[in-house]
Amino acid sequence: MNERPSKKREKKPRVAMPEQAPEVRSHNFDEVPLGYTPEQAQAEAERCLQCKRPFCLEGCPVNVDIPGFIGLIVEGKFAEAARKIKETNCLPAVCGRVCPQESQCEARCVLGKKGEPVAIGRLERFVADYERDHELIELPDKAAPTGKRVAVVGSGPAGLTVAGDLILLGHEVTIFEAFHKPGGVLMYGIPEFRLPKTIVEKEVDYLHRLGAEIELNQVIGKSITVDELLDEEGYDAVFLGVGAGLPYFMGVPGENLGGVYSASEYLTRSNLMKAYVFPEYDTPVVHGRTVCVIGGGNVAMDSARTARRLGAENVYIVYRRSRAELPARAEEVHHAEEEGIVFKLLCSPIEYLGDELGMVRQIRCQEMELGEPDDSGRRRPVPKEGAEFTLDTDLVIVAIGSGANPLLTQTTRGLDLNRRGYIVADEETGRTSRRGVWAGGDIVTGSATVILAMGAGKAAAQDMHAYLRGEREASAPMETIEQPSLRSPVRDAT
């Protein structure tokens, strides 16, 4: 009796993605994974069982037709597969690189129950790159113009998603970005070796070609307020997707020493301000020989791996919990270890020590042990009495999370905030307490993932569209708006 085709597919091993060798990539900023070839992509796509009830769809915050685009890859219709994704996701090349598929769509793949799931993210990256590299990008049809104008504040993943969806629905959209380059955290926060800036630029260009206007160097709340956008500039609705860029510090002695950076400043200087292509760009940034990165999330991994590429001889991740509690993606931890990053686990800084010039030279650390679980579900780190040690260092990068910058929220009338300064918005619609204003992404949830911000953007766009068409009011009584969790849906770096 012949074996069923689905059984044959179940037994096929997952196709590995080629990548740079650690000893090579730790000295350059080129992308680490090299991507699938067409043959590799088709071989991986053929593993998909095309389930009658595809559970993978339940794990995608932006509702990508996963079986649909994978089926097109099997047929060799790569550009068509990319267009299938773009029906609901305007940033496939980005998501294919930085979305945590292993905890979302791939986590629900049936093949993962007994083996390895289909490499959905790698296939998404492949078709997006194929369409772009072969100049096969086509602009979809747009709805008839509605005459409505929308201001999107912030050009990160949430804002770009809102803009892309609303443009296709016929509305005029202007994106306001505080920096001199659009892309938000995609541009300033994620290093070149994980997300090449040309990829972000191409994705943003796609939206510009769709019709989005982009105004750079516009700090909303300073150069112009949300009130002025609505009351004086004639915008019918505003979406706030400004992220959570206010860096957190631990408050330990010595944090004001030279050579102690927040991760947001360090990565912004390295990425957006292009310290990674020195000397072409002579961006001021400390190049440490022995670097300590405080925290255990993806941002900590990005900072440590960046420091290695900028010439550090020794790089340490200093994290107060054990390896099991590391919030970073397993792939990022694996890549960091391959590149020689050393993990100093179960220890926490209690003081930074400097020299006579005011530059950091040592960290005094407290050894920790794990106690009972805290409200994050992880075991709480407890100081081990009498157990201290010092680490020599000439560069410290604090990557323990970030919060809401109050500049915009404090200049916007009628906008309710929670006790941590994040905007209170309805989880289903993104509606805020201010009529005509929606919000989504990190400014609502706290630091989370690119794809969750995009999901919030999609939900807000649909509600804004209904409002702009006169089908519903723009705000709800506050008692009907649920207070979002004060903890990010993604565990923080501490």
Side-chain angles (χ1 to χ4, degrees), residues 206-395:
Y206 173 74
L207 289 178
H208 186 64
R209 289 170 59 193
L210 280 179
E213 295 296 324
I214 302 175
E215 293 198 19
L216 304 174
N217 302 306
Q218 292 288 344
V219 182
I220 305 303
K222 190 73 173 177
S223 59
I224 189 171
T225 66
V226 172
D227 295 341
E228 289 170 335
L229 289 173
L230 289 167
D231 301 335
E232 299 177 19
E233 298 297 320
Y235 286 96
D236 299 289
V238 174
F239 176 81
L240 306 178
V242 294
L246 188 68
Y248 286 153
F249 285 93
M250 297 178 65
V252 303
E255 280 183 336
N256 61 338
L257 289 169
V260 179
Y261 284 96
S262 69
S264 59
E265 179 183 356
Y266 182 76
L267 291 174
T268 298
R269 287 178 180 271
S270 301
N271 300 327
L272 183 68
M273 299 171 68
K274 297 186 180 296
Y276 73 91
V277 286
F278 177 86
E280 182 180 346
Y281 287 81
D282 191 13
T283 299
V285 66
V286 173
H287 292 255
R289 295 182 62 184
T290 299
V291 179
C292 289
V293 179
I294 316 302
N298 289 328
V299 174
M301 303 305 139
D302 287 345
S303 300
R305 298 172 68 197
T306 295
R308 168 68 82 196
R309 285 160 172 78
L310 289 176
E313 297 174 6
N314 304 293
V315 183
Y316 300 103
I317 293 283
V318 179
Y319 182 58
R320 64 178 185 156
R321 302 180 196 259
S322 74
R323 185 185 181 89
E325 285 78 32
L326 280 168
R329 294 179 67 185
E331 180 180 72
E332 299 308 314
V333 175
H334 171 66
H335 281 156
E337 289 183 318
E338 283 189 325
E339 292 165 13
I341 310 301
V342 177
F343 285 70
K344 294 285 187 180
L345 302 173
L346 288 170
C347 63
S348 182
I350 54 177
E351 185 179 11
Y352 301 117
L353 306 171
D355 61 15
E356 65 279 1
L357 298 177
M359 300 297 293
V360 68
R361 288 294 175 258
Q362 282 187 326
I363 301 180
R364 191 159 63 91
C365 292
Q366 169 72 60
E367 289 188 28
M368 314 293 282
E369 55 189 358
L370 295 180
E372 295 300 313
D374 61 16
D375 58 1
S376 74
R378 294 172 295 167
R379 295 176 64 191
R380 183 188 303 276
V382 179
K384 189 183 295 185
E385 190 173 348
E388 297 180 5
F389 66 95
T390 59
L391 283 173
D392 291 335
T393 184
D394 53 359
L395 172 60

Side-chain angles (χ1 to χ4, degrees), residues 17 25 79 88 94 165 173 207 259-260 290 294 297 421 438 482 485:
M17 182 183 289
R25 70 181 190 238
T88 59
V94 169
D165 284 10
V173 177
L207 289 178
V260 179
T290 299
I294 316 302
W438 285 254
E482 294 184 11
S485 168

Side-chain angles (χ1 to χ4, degrees), residues 150-192:
V150 178
V152 174
V153 183
S155 65
L160 294 177
T161 300
V162 167
D165 284 10
L166 291 179
I167 288 168
L168 293 180
L169 293 168
H171 308 297
E172 293 182 32
V173 177
T174 302
I175 302 171
F176 294 90
E177 169 55 47
F179 282 128
H180 61 284
K181 291 278 190 181
V185 69
L186 306 175
M187 206 68 174
Y188 70 77
I190 303 177
E192 183 79 5

